[in-house]
Amino acid sequence: MRRRLGENTRAVHLPPVPLSRQLPIGLPVWRTAAWSFDSSAEYADVLGDRVPGFAYSRIDNPTVAAFASGIASLEGAAAPEDVAGQAFASGMAAVSAVFMTFLRAGAHVVAPAPVYGGAYSLLSNVLSRFGVSVDFVDYSDLRRVHATVRSSTKIIYAETLSNPTMAVADIRGLYRIARDAGALLVVDSTFATPVVCRPLEHGADLVVHSATKFIGGHDDCTGGAVVGRPDLISKIREVRIDTGAALAPDEAFLLRRGLATLPLRVRRMCATAMVFAASVAKHPAVRRVDYPGLAGHPGHQLARQLFDAGPEGTRYGACVTVTPHGGYEAGVALADTVRLARIATSIGGTHTKVAHVASTTHRQLDEAALTASGIDAGAVRFSIGLEDAEDLIADVTEALDALRSDTTSRT
């Protein structure tokens, strides 16, 4: 007769989880930190990547792997080579892993002048301490990029759509420069998503995303991803493991779920953003509107070459930057006066969000850096959500009317 186990042991050693031959439609959430093995040899083989499997969620997790493979599938739909992916706890964790994987002391990076503030700070304030140098260049003239490249240049970093000027990266031209220099072309495509543009098809070696934004799409999770050739991704995975920048399984579930509706949401947002930008640009209180869908935008023709089109026309992204007359104070007033658009961090959610750029998203840049990036002190970024276009236009028009009236009364 077998000895009866104690109540505490029985509570810990419950019956095993039933595994079904049928595949679930919904993604299971493997909310576990560790897996058990039949032998020490199996444990060692999984840890050593000699056999497939899972050992510890900081290393790999099935739910996280499902999200990473999902975003790789979307970005690599027509890529010339196989595409793999790695998921991270945030977009900046993904960017950091790429830099830490392929840079050493003495390495040089070329980055766009209007680069995301977090990437600017990482390159300028963190990696510089470890002997990495960077030049921030106006990418509107590729001759400047080419002239900046050195023998030590290891990464040319770009953004498909820059934040907040919505400058369009000439990915094909940058690829040629990177190839001749023996450098990697790394493209942050957060603002575009694979619904608008897939940089791997145009020569990029690696694509990074803040999945917190459009991919998650509901402002309820944080994550990041890197996709590219498997040989590059395997090196990035090693750094992710060693630095502990693992994505949590619950977040991975939400992000993978976001992929299913990504085309529906982004197509709608892009269509609304086009109407919104065209209408706002006509208001007398507005000095400038940055949106590549407008014919006067410097990147309009390039966007038509690189970006996808559907029945609604070319998709130019879902963020519009509005600069009113009046400088810094006018920009703050505009952001504070709109009612439907919420003053909030991040982009890509169901709600339209508004941010005064100089005081929030690009607070890391001093006045000189803002000027070099082409960012006006009064610039206000609108991340278009899923509201009706006419309601958003009415909201911002009322705010601009009030701003113009206030300016007139003071003069």
Side-chain angles (χ1 to χ4, degrees), residues 93 159 171 222 241 312 316 332 363 382 391:
E159 296 173 340
I171 300 172
T222 303
I241 292 170
E312 73 283 6
Y316 295 101
V332 172
R363 64 195 179 281
F382 287 82
D391 293 330

Side-chain angles (χ1 to χ4, degrees), residues 169-196:
D170 185 348
I171 300 172
R172 296 168 185 167
L174 291 169
Y175 158 70
R176 290 190 289 270
I177 295 173
R179 179 193 58 194
D180 293 345
L184 291 175
L185 175 58
V186 180
V187 179
D188 180 344
S189 205
T190 298
F191 272 63
T193 82
V195 179
V196 173

Side-chain angles (χ1 to χ4, degrees), residues 160-174:
T160 308
L161 280 168
S162 69
N163 174 24
T165 61
M166 302 303 130
V168 181
D170 185 348
I171 300 172
R172 296 168 185 167
L174 291 169

Side-chain angles (χ1 to χ4, degrees), residues 215-216 218 256-266:
I215 290 170
H218 292 78
R256 167 86 177 208
R257 186 174 66 175
L259 292 178
T261 61
L262 182 65
L264 297 172
R265 291 183 285 105
V266 171

Side-chain angles (χ1 to χ4, degrees), residues 1-6 9-10 13:
M1 183 177 177
R2 291 180 58 186
R3 177 178 176 276
R4 183 183 179 186
L5 300 176
T9 303
R10 295 197 308 273
H13 292 264

